[in-house]
Amino acid sequence: MDYLDSKYFTYGTDNILQCENVPVNEIINKTGTPVYIYSRKFFEDRYKEFTQAFREIKHRVFYSVKANFNLNVIKTLYNLGSGIDVNSEGEFYRAYKAGADPKKMLMAGVGKTADEIKLAIEKDFIMIKAESPEEIELINEIAGKLKKKAKVGIRVNPDVNPQTHPYISTGLSQNKFGVAAPEAEQMFKDYEKYPNISFTGIDMHIGSQVTTVEPFVEAVDKLSEFYFKVKSYGVKIEHFDIGGGVGVTYNNEKSFGIPEFADALIPKLKKLDCEIFFEPGRFLTGNGGILVTKVLFNKRNNNKKFIIVDAAMNDLLRPSIYSAYHHIQPVEISTSDKDIVADIVGPVCESGDFFAKDRTITETKSGKSLAIMSAGAYSMVMSSNYNARRRPAEVIVDGNKFSVVRTRETFDHLLYDEKVI
Ligand code: LLP
């Protein structure tokens, strides 16, 4: 079988998979499995690559913490200069605990609660992205009570097709996100009706795991036109926010590179007289993490082979809900092993509990470990306690050292504050 090519996860001369310079075996001897392992260098390099590509224009990156909200991942990107995109009070709390200044945060979300809006105003978030006229009314009312002026961007739905999985497509008019352009235009036109709001931004986010540049170009073209219209009404737009969505390679599918993304967008963005915001999540973290799991059993039902591992859908949900592909490779390669075709499945009592179906994979045995690749984004964050399974530990590697940055949950975590009455 082939192995995913990554300079952050490579095999050492002893044929053991390493994260940076640390053999994965060394980590799992300490933590057990399943465990998430992240490369700090990966996150740093990706952030630098992104900002470097857009250095010609005035821009800011707001790491979308929903992709991976481990405190140390947030802190790593924040320390490099990233702002933070939060979608809930909980994400705010995590970013805050990681040391991020609320003034460098923006608040997104199609359904914010009054508490979330209040928090963003009180803490002077750089922007609240409003997604409906009712939300604008509420922001205006809460800001009035707080005797503050809220800085608000309107998320416009540009009605473009990002050509991604329907569950993560957000920029089409049939999606719940954003405000249709004519309605958004009216909201900007009426800005004087909202004395407690400064309308500072125009915002979009067309979807996630977008693998071609064209939908971004189309959306930026549409919203640039919109930007000039809005400016003509006397609204002082300070930020034009492109959102996240840059796709990454999970298998051998082609995604565009950041230089290509920058080349396509910079000439257009240069025409706008304001700062450009980006909210990448997956691009910064997706290929910087793996989930390591141990083989429990090999079995065969008629002609079908199964490899049953100790991680499950509760630890990594993406294959179950999006049929997402994650490369799976052995932690230890042996040249004598032969390839088989099997489903790689977890212990949860659902047929949807799989990591791969009919996958060609090197034959393995009970006790051996496998690495599920590209598990740095939307992986641990989407884990649950289904089947009363404890969530995995998380480890960050720095060169030739590793730190357990979150230990595996204990059984007491499972009962947190629950009482028998
Ligand atoms: N900004 C907003 C407003 C978003 O809703 C998202 C992601 C991002 C930024 C970051 O997008 P990214 O650069 O990571 O594509 N659970 C799914 C992905 C859901 C994405 C939700 N929104 C998955 O596992 O593929």
Side-chain angles (χ1 to χ4, degrees):
M1 81 172 275
D2 57 336
Y3 302 110
L4 201 65
D5 194 21
S6 155
K7 65 178 182 172
Y8 306 89
F9 297 94
T10 52
Y11 288 92
T13 48
D14 54 0
N15 283 341
I16 306 279
L17 184 67
Q18 298 181 177
C19 175
E20 300 189 20
N21 301 324
V22 180
V24 163
N25 279 351
E26 214 177 280
I27 300 174
I28 61 178
N29 284 344
K30 175 155 184 193
T31 60
T33 53
V35 57
Y36 278 101
I37 302 176
Y38 307 124
S39 156
R40 187 175 332 251
K41 178 96 173 71
F42 176 92
F43 304 139
E44 292 173 345
D45 288 353
R46 288 292 246 200
Y47 179 83
K48 289 178 194 159
E49 184 188 351
F50 199 100
T51 48
Q52 182 68 10
F54 285 97
R55 68 190 178 283
E56 264 182 67
I57 54 171
K58 195 166 176 231
H59 74 278
R60 280 170 85 162
V61 170
F62 291 82
Y63 168 50
S64 195
V65 298
K66 60 175 77 66
N68 185 329
F69 50 48
N70 181 284
L71 297 181
N72 298 278
V73 177
I74 299 177
K75 185 171 161 208
T76 300
L77 292 165
Y78 181 77
N79 284 351
L80 288 174
S82 186
I84 306 291
D85 160 31
V86 305
N87 197 65
S88 66
E89 275 183 294
E91 286 188 355
F92 160 77
Y93 187 64
R94 284 190 155 272
Y96 188 67
K97 287 288 180 188
D101 178 350
K103 294 193 178 72
K104 295 182 181 160
M105 295 185 195
L106 55 82
M107 171 74 79
V110 69
K112 298 174 203 72
T113 63
D115 282 346
E116 282 164 340
I117 292 170
K118 183 163 174 257
L119 170 90
I121 300 172
E122 270 177 345
K123 301 262 181 220
D124 293 322
F125 274 40
I126 200 159
M127 182 166 80
I128 305 174
K129 292 199 260 181
E131 298 211 24
S132 66
E134 284 191 9
E135 186 183 343
I136 293 279
E137 296 287 345
L138 185 61
I139 296 173
N140 189 53
E141 185 189 315
I142 295 174
K145 281 189 195 141
L146 294 172
K147 301 202 174 10
K148 288 188 101 157
K149 207 145 182 160
K151 284 177 275 178
V152 170
I154 296 179
R155 177 167 171 181
V156 184
N157 183 321
D159 197 20
V160 298
N161 188 348
Q163 313 276 10
T164 185
H165 190 284
Y167 292 2
I168 53 176
S169 157
T170 52
L172 280 166
S173 59
Q174 76 217 39
N175 300 132
K176 69 180 172 183
F177 298 98
V179 181
E183 204 177 353
E185 193 183 326
Q186 194 59 46
M187 285 156 78
F188 277 116
K189 233 180 185 169
D190 290 343
Y191 71 95
E192 281 170 336
K193 280 200 203 158
Y194 306 101
N196 309 316
I197 291 181
S198 298
F199 287 95
T200 54
I202 292 175
D203 186 275
M204 68 182 223
H205 169 74
I206 58 173
S208 194
Q209 187 53 14
V210 181
T211 52
T212 59
V213 170
E214 288 72 28
F216 288 103
V217 170
E218 192 187 333
V220 166
D221 280 342
K222 283 188 173 175
L223 289 200
S224 298
E225 222 176 277
F226 185 86
Y227 165 90
F228 287 111
K229 249 192 222 164
V230 166
K231 274 193 74 159
S232 72
Y233 302 138
V235 185
K236 206 175 152 329
I237 298 296
E238 293 168 21
H239 328 287
F240 186 92
D241 183 344
I242 288 175
V246 174
V248 304
T249 301
Y250 282 92
N251 187 9
N252 41 27
E253 75 274 39
K254 266 215 120 10
S255 189
F256 53 89
I258 289 301
E260 192 189 327
F261 186 51
D263 284 351
L265 296 186
I266 288 175
K268 297 175 186 297
L269 299 173
K270 266 186 171 166
K271 295 188 186 139
L272 311 177
D273 179 24
C274 65
E275 194 170 27
I276 308 301
F277 286 0
F278 296 97
E279 301 165 7
R282 189 188 318 259
F283 174 78
L284 297 176
T285 57
N287 279 322
I290 59 175
L291 173 63
V292 180
T293 181
K294 212 160 240 174
V295 175
L296 298 173
F297 303 108
N298 278 277
K299 72 182 261 187
R300 185 195 278 267
N301 278 351
N302 296 315
N303 284 332
K304 203 158 169 71
K305 290 183 176 159
F306 294 92
I307 299 172
I308 303 167
V309 296
D310 67 357
M313 65 190 290
N314 73 294
D315 303 308
L316 174 62
L317 192 57
R318 302 192 71 257
S320 303
I321 60 171
Y322 314 117
S323 302
Y325 182 97
H326 282 258
H327 210 68
I328 302 180
Q329 54 197 59
V331 166
E332 187 178 350
I333 353 175
S334 148
T335 43
S336 61
D337 293 337
K338 65 167 205 242
D339 284 351
I340 58 164
V341 175
D343 284 10
I344 295 132
V345 300
V348 160
C349 49
E350 302 223 12
S351 294
D353 177 24
F354 63 87
F355 296 114
K357 289 211 176 251
D358 296 320
R359 181 72 61 85
T360 302
I361 182 160
T362 308
E363 197 167 43
T364 181
K365 352 188 232 285
S366 175
K368 295 277 183 194
S369 303
L370 298 175
I372 305 177
M373 309 303 285
S374 311
Y378 305 111
S379 296
M380 181 62 174
V381 290
M382 289 167 68
S383 64
S384 75
N385 293 119
Y386 186 38
N387 270 198
R389 288 171 52 86
R390 295 170 296 151
R391 267 182 279 227
E394 289 178 292
V395 165
I396 289 197
V397 172
D398 279 289
N400 51 18
K401 310 197 306 276
F402 74 92
S403 318
V404 181
V405 288
R406 182 179 156 131
T407 51
R408 184 178 316 289
E409 284 179 339
T410 63
F411 290 111
D412 284 336
H413 279 119
L414 298 180
L415 301 185
Y416 179 71
D417 225 11
E418 188 177 330
K419 300 180 193 64
V420 179
I421 50 161

